[in-house]
Amino acid sequence: MIQIDYRDSRPIYEQIMNSFKKLIQAGVLVPGEKLPSVRTIAKENSINPNTIQKAINELENQGYIYSVAGKGSFVVEKIVNNPAKIEELKGKLMECSKELMFLGVSKEEIIGMINGGSDND
Amino acid sequence: MIQIDYRDSRPIYEQIMNSFKKLIQAGVLVPGEKLPSVRTIAKENSINPNTIQKAINELENQGYIYSVAGKGSFVVEKIVNNPAKIEELKGKLMECSKELMFLGVSKEEIIGMINGGSDND
Amino acid sequence: MIQIDYRDSRPIYEQIMNSFKKLIQAGVLVPGEKLPSVRTIAKENSINPNTIQKAINELENQGYIYSVAGKGSFVVEKIVNNPAKIEELKGKLMECSKELMFLGVSKEEIIGMINGGSDND
Amino acid sequence: MIQIDYRDSRPIYEQIMNSFKKLIQAGVLVPGEKLPSVRTIAKENSINPNTIQKAINELENQGYIYSVAGKGSFVVEKIVNNPAKIEELKGKLMECSKELMFLGVSKEEIIGMINGGSDND
DNA sequence: GTGGTCTAGACCACC
DNA sequence: GTGGTCTAGACCACG
């Protein structure tokens, strides 16, 4: 369910966080659905529960899930709008697109990628 | 010439590197042009020369400049194609675009940003 | 009669307790009035009776209600003065007001809120 | 510099966080000032560095300080406005004020407290 | 069994 | 030296 790359420079908790973000965005995890427990995720991936907990906390801070002590963590019904975050993402996207164009990728190809939405990870 | 933000969580050398990348991409530094010396950059920005050197080395590794011992560093004539980097950037771009769409930004708006993207930082 | 939000991080019994507090403060439950039985509240809200009992016990500890074995729980005639609780609340209130002022909310606005505060939940 | 009450139900990291918030709000820690290092705070208060780190992270998330790896943590120049947080605090304040009035504290006394701003902690 | 907190000790990149 | 991440194990309140 989750992909961890220990050679990746990004911290493990961030990789876990992104995995869940993608599962939510892709609709694999639907609103209201319960996530596996911290301990389950930890055991299945041989990662320390504290690291999982950190990822879960971050996901809650960012508004993707909500946690209820003693019950579990659940996908939120609707993502809360966060204008600041949208601006940040727009900035990142523009930076990538500029650098790609500088490296010879045409504007059309980039737009094609966004239009097609083919998974490129 | 270079913008350093000590509050930024990114390492100094990375900020320096990005500044030069942008200057090259924007055409302020043209192909073949000589970069200021490490010591000059260091003095002008009150930064440790080692930090500048690290940024210069990274820029060379990524194919933006080339260094000649005893002469200095110069902007490359043509950026070497770096398929791995292009793929990485494409991945990042798709991730941003997916998250933006998930947060309610329309595909059209994103494409419009890329089409009209003449803002430079 | 009672609002439970399972997404809320606060324990269920605390939410129940607060619901009753508000009903008493608002005068919906008048002094001497009998509260519904633990089992009734539990069934109507699909909550474990133990959880309801815990809320009831807390309300009694805090002096809002009194319980008579075999009869039920009743709203007290007059809230017993609880200096410790008053001091605690005063502390909390001052903390909120200070933080609000620090964040740029004017003293006048805060006082206006307290003066005009007829909104109930 | 920091007050920890191990009998307090609130987590230690939260108490630490609040201590620093108050020091910043009171002007003891001025904008731009460096906070003691994680390890220093940990040693001086006989608390595990990880617990301090959590408090520091939270303070950064809430916009009170910013951290630079390898340099330290610093008080931000100006607190970022956060409307959602202001609304939350207003709600808390109203709840306290209502409960105080219900317990017999007069509206005038509450307003007097806010006007006087005497430390009540 | 669940999330949440905490300790003790470790390693890393950065400056 | 600094902040940041991670592990291994523990205890707690809640349902």
Side-chain angles (χ1 to χ4, degrees):
Chain A
M1 200 166 185
I2 289 179
Q3 301 295 337
I4 304 292
D5 179 2
Y6 286 96
R7 301 157 67 188
D8 195 318
S9 68
R10 290 176 308 173
I12 297 182
Y13 82 90
E14 199 176 313
Q15 295 185 43
I16 295 167
M17 208 180 72
N18 278 328
S19 294
F20 278 111
K21 260 195 214 175
K22 283 187 183 163
L23 288 171
I24 293 173
Q25 286 167 15
V28 178
L29 290 170
V30 298
E33 186 168 350
K34 187 180 172 301
L35 269 60
S37 82
V38 169
R39 287 166 179 76
T40 305
I41 304 173
K43 199 176 283 179
E44 284 183 353
N45 296 276
S46 307
I47 291 170
N48 188 288
N50 283 328
T51 305
I52 309 292
Q53 183 77 47
K54 188 165 187 176
I56 293 287
N57 287 342
E58 270 302 303
L59 281 169
E60 189 170 9
N61 281 338
Q62 294 191 17
Y64 284 87
I65 65 172
Y66 62 90
S67 298
V68 184
K71 300 279 282 185
S73 299
F74 306 84
V75 179
V76 294
E77 295 300 330
K78 202 180 174 313
I79 304 295
V80 185
N81 250 19
N82 189 334
K85 183 165 188 183
I86 289 180
E87 283 316 307
E88 186 198 328
L89 279 167
K90 281 184 180 174
K92 266 194 197 171
L93 183 127
M94 288 312 291
E95 210 168 302
C96 289
S97 115
K98 276 182 201 163
E99 193 155 359
L100 276 171
M101 287 192 257
F102 184 69
L103 291 175
V105 179
S106 73
K107 198 176 282 192
E108 287 69 29
E109 189 181 345
I110 296 174
I111 291 172
M113 280 166 55
I114 291 172
N115 263 320
S118 54
D119 286 357
N120 248 62
D121 197 31
Chain B
M1 198 165 187
I2 289 178
Q3 300 296 337
I4 303 294
D5 181 1
Y6 285 97
R7 300 193 206 170
D8 199 317
S9 66
R10 290 176 306 176
I12 305 292
Y13 84 91
E14 198 177 315
Q15 294 186 43
I16 295 168
M17 208 179 72
N18 276 328
S19 292
F20 278 112
K21 263 196 214 174
K22 282 189 183 160
L23 289 171
I24 295 173
Q25 287 168 14
V28 178
L29 291 170
V30 297
E33 184 169 351
K34 186 178 174 301
L35 267 58
S37 78
V38 169
R39 267 179 293 179
T40 306
I41 305 173
K43 198 177 285 178
E44 282 183 355
N45 295 277
S46 309
I47 290 171
N48 190 305
N50 289 326
T51 307
I52 309 291
Q53 189 63 53
K54 187 162 189 177
I56 295 290
N57 291 342
E58 266 304 300
L59 281 169
E60 191 170 6
N61 282 338
Q62 294 192 15
Y64 283 86
I65 64 173
Y66 62 92
S67 299
V68 184
K71 301 275 280 186
S73 300
F74 304 85
V75 179
V76 294
E77 294 302 328
K78 201 181 174 315
I79 303 297
V80 183
N81 250 16
N82 189 335
K85 187 160 183 63
I86 288 180
E87 281 316 305
E88 185 200 326
L89 278 167
K90 280 185 179 173
K92 264 194 198 170
L93 183 126
M94 287 311 292
E95 210 169 299
C96 288
S97 114
K98 274 184 200 164
E99 190 152 5
L100 277 170
M101 286 193 256
F102 185 67
L103 292 176
V105 179
S106 74
K107 198 176 282 192
E108 287 70 29
E109 189 181 346
I110 296 175
I111 291 173
M113 279 167 54
I114 291 173
N115 263 319
S118 43
D119 288 359
N120 229 351
D121 200 24
Chain C
M1 198 164 185
I2 289 178
Q3 300 295 337
I4 303 294
D5 181 1
Y6 285 98
R7 300 193 205 170
D8 198 317
S9 66
R10 290 176 306 175
I12 305 293
Y13 82 90
E14 199 178 313
Q15 294 186 42
I16 295 168
M17 208 180 71
N18 276 328
S19 293
F20 277 112
K21 264 196 211 174
K22 282 190 183 162
L23 289 171
I24 294 174
Q25 285 167 15
V28 178
L29 291 171
V30 296
E33 185 169 349
K34 187 179 173 300
L35 267 60
S37 79
V38 169
R39 268 179 292 180
T40 305
I41 305 173
K43 197 177 284 178
E44 282 183 355
N45 296 277
S46 310
I47 290 170
N48 189 306
N50 289 325
T51 307
I52 309 292
Q53 188 63 53
K54 188 161 188 177
I56 294 289
N57 290 341
E58 266 305 300
L59 281 168
E60 191 170 4
N61 281 338
Q62 294 191 15
Y64 283 86
I65 63 173
Y66 61 93
S67 298
V68 183
K71 301 276 281 186
S73 300
F74 304 85
V75 178
V76 294
E77 294 301 329
K78 202 179 173 315
I79 303 297
V80 183
N81 252 16
N82 189 335
K85 187 162 184 61
I86 289 180
E87 281 317 305
E88 185 199 328
L89 279 168
K90 280 184 180 173
K92 264 194 197 171
L93 183 127
M94 287 312 291
E95 211 170 299
C96 288
S97 114
K98 275 185 199 164
E99 191 153 4
L100 277 170
M101 286 194 256
F102 185 67
L103 291 176
V105 179
S106 73
K107 198 176 281 193
E108 287 70 28
E109 190 180 345
I110 297 174
I111 292 174
M113 280 166 55
I114 291 173
N115 262 320
S118 43
D119 289 359
N120 229 350
D121 200 23
Chain D
M1 198 166 186
I2 290 179
Q3 301 295 338
I4 305 293
D5 179 3
Y6 286 96
R7 300 158 69 187
D8 196 318
S9 69
R10 291 176 306 173
I12 295 182
Y13 81 90
E14 200 177 313
Q15 295 186 42
I16 294 167
M17 208 179 72
N18 279 328
S19 294
F20 277 110
K21 260 196 215 174
K22 282 188 184 163
L23 288 172
I24 294 174
Q25 287 167 13
V28 179
L29 290 170
V30 297
E33 186 167 350
K34 187 179 173 301
L35 269 59
S37 82
V38 169
R39 289 167 177 75
T40 306
I41 305 173
K43 199 176 283 180
E44 284 183 353
N45 295 277
S46 308
I47 290 170
N48 188 289
N50 283 327
T51 305
I52 309 292
Q53 184 77 47
K54 189 165 187 176
I56 294 287
N57 287 342
E58 271 301 304
L59 281 169
E60 189 170 9
N61 281 338
Q62 295 191 16
Y64 284 87
I65 66 172
Y66 63 91
S67 297
V68 184
K71 300 279 282 186
S73 299
F74 306 84
V75 179
V76 294
E77 295 300 331
K78 202 182 174 313
I79 304 295
V80 184
N81 249 18
N82 189 334
K85 183 164 187 184
I86 289 180
E87 283 315 307
E88 187 197 327
L89 279 168
K90 281 184 179 173
K92 266 194 197 171
L93 183 126
M94 287 313 290
E95 209 168 302
C96 288
S97 116
K98 275 182 203 163
E99 193 155 359
L100 277 170
M101 287 194 256
F102 184 70
L103 291 175
V105 179
S106 73
K107 197 176 282 193
E108 287 69 29
E109 188 182 345
I110 296 174
I111 291 173
M113 280 166 55
I114 291 173
N115 263 319
S118 53
D119 287 357
N120 249 64
D121 197 33

